[in-house]
């Protein structure tokens, strides 16, 4: 991809100026000498620039921008996949967000603002060539998240463990109530207690916790 425009989408003035300086130094060293540098301060301005279908590199701090959610961000990256190369340059990105972006996009690179300047410069070089770059720190976060086991909450009663196991098997509240000879109200009360003790907000997160913590056998998980 022959980059002809660099879009800096970062609402921290000092960081934006530093990125512009680095980009100018890189482009005056023999690469992309004709690339113009422009700024976008919100999602709308970024969209306007991308709609012009100019081959561009987008240097963005996702955490400072007004995207509705990660799906919205990934859709924009995918929509302009043929004409844009992106660099996520942020202070911190969660493992779940990293995993989602790296699996759902092909043109998004990742680096961090607190990385050594040589690392940031390397990431920019990749993006200006239209290539993908994933910082080692991002890879370490992903690897650690795969091996981490949550603290097992031992406060769950035997009844709550049995109900949690039934939930992982895809059983509805009314089915669990029927099998246990209990009322739906009673099962719902147990569910609320399970969510509170595991510090989660929904059945999906409770099941994920249970699987990772080994509270239930993965072979019994209903897909």
């Amino acid at each position: 991809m022959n980059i002809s425009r660099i879009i800096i989408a970062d609402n921290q003035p000092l960081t934006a100026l530093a990125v512009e300086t680095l980009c100018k130094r890189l482009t005056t060293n023999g690469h992309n000498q004709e690339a113009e540098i422009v700024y976008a301060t919100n999602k709308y301005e970024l969209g306007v620039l991308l709609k012009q279908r100019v081959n561009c590199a987008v240097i963005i701090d996702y955490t400072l921008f007004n995207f509705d959610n990660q799906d919205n961000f990934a859709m924009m990256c995918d929509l302009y996949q043929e004409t844009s190369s992106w660099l996520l340059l942020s202070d911190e990105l969660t493992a779940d967000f990293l995993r989602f972006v790296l699996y759902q996009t092909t043109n998004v690179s990742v680096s961090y603002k607190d990385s050594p300047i040589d690392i940031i410069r390397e990431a920019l070089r990749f993006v200006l060539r239209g290539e993908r770059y994933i910082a080692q720190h991002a890879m370490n976060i992903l690897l650690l998240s795969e091996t981490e086991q949550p603290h097992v909450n031992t406060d769950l009663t035997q009844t709550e463990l049995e109900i949690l196991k039934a939930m992982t098997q895809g059983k509805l509240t009314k089915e669990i109530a029927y099998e246990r000879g209990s009322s739906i109200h009673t099962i719902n009360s147990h569910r609320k207690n399970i969510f509170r003790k595991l510090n989660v907000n929904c059945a999906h997160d409770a099941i994920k916790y249970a699987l990772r913590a080994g509270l239930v056998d993965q072979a019994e998980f209903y897909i």
Side-chain angles (χ1 to χ4, degrees):
M1 180 186 296
N2 183 23
I3 300 296
S4 55
R5 175 182 289 169
I6 299 170
I7 302 174
I8 299 177
D10 191 313
N11 291 322
Q12 290 181 329
L14 188 59
T15 302
L17 179 60
V19 170
E20 178 180 355
T21 300
L22 285 172
C23 288
K24 284 181 176 178
R25 290 179 179 175
L26 290 172
T27 56
T28 55
N29 284 336
H31 302 287
N32 306 303
Q33 291 188 357
E34 302 302 320
E36 64 170 333
I37 298 178
V38 296
Y39 282 83
T41 60
N42 55 55
K43 186 178 67 174
Y44 173 77
E45 292 179 1
L46 179 58
V48 169
L49 291 169
L50 290 170
K51 285 179 182 178
Q52 296 173 7
R53 296 290 178 178
V54 175
N55 287 344
C56 62
V58 182
I59 319 301
I60 184 170
D61 187 339
Y62 172 85
T63 61
L64 298 179
F65 249 57
N66 60 329
F67 283 100
D68 299 325
N69 49 54
Q70 58 191 25
D71 295 276
N72 190 250
F73 172 73
M75 285 176 60
M76 180 173 280
C77 295
D78 185 61
L79 183 62
Y80 299 101
Q81 180 177 344
E82 299 300 321
T83 57
S84 64
S85 178
W86 299 63
L87 174 61
L88 283 170
L89 188 62
S90 300
D91 289 315
E92 185 176 352
L93 298 168
T94 67
D96 286 341
F97 177 76
L98 286 170
R99 190 178 297 107
F100 174 84
V101 169
L102 296 183
Y103 290 168
Q104 296 297 322
T105 68
T106 59
N107 57 336
V108 178
S109 299
V110 179
S111 191
Y112 293 86
K113 289 182 176 180
D114 60 353
S115 298
I117 195 67
D118 288 344
I119 298 297
I120 297 176
R121 188 181 291 115
E122 182 181 22
L124 287 170
R125 284 197 186 99
F126 271 71
V127 173
L128 292 176
R129 293 198 301 263
E131 300 175 8
R132 195 172 208 185
Y133 177 90
I134 309 299
Q136 184 61 48
H137 181 54
M139 296 302 299
N140 290 342
I141 290 175
L142 289 174
L143 290 172
L144 182 62
S145 71
E146 294 297 329
T147 58
E148 266 186 345
Q149 293 294 325
H151 170 68
V152 178
N153 192 310
T154 57
D155 293 335
L156 293 179
T157 66
Q158 183 60 37
T159 296
E160 289 165 350
L161 284 170
E162 291 172 0
I163 291 174
L164 181 57
K165 181 177 179 179
M167 289 166 58
T168 66
Q169 294 170 341
K171 294 180 180 179
L172 301 176
T173 300
K174 62 180 181 180
E175 294 177 293
I176 300 173
Y178 176 78
E179 290 179 356
R180 299 185 64 84
S182 302
S183 69
I184 292 177
H185 174 74
T186 298
I187 300 303
N188 278 330
S189 295
H190 284 307
R191 283 167 58 98
K192 290 178 181 178
N193 286 334
I194 292 169
F195 294 169
R196 175 178 56 80
K197 290 179 179 181
L198 298 185
N199 193 28
V200 299
N201 298 309
C202 62
H204 172 77
D205 289 340
I207 292 169
K208 184 167 64 173
Y209 181 105
L211 291 170
R212 291 184 60 196
L215 294 176
V216 294
D217 189 342
Q218 293 196 18
E220 296 178 296
F221 175 50
Y222 175 81
I223 299 177

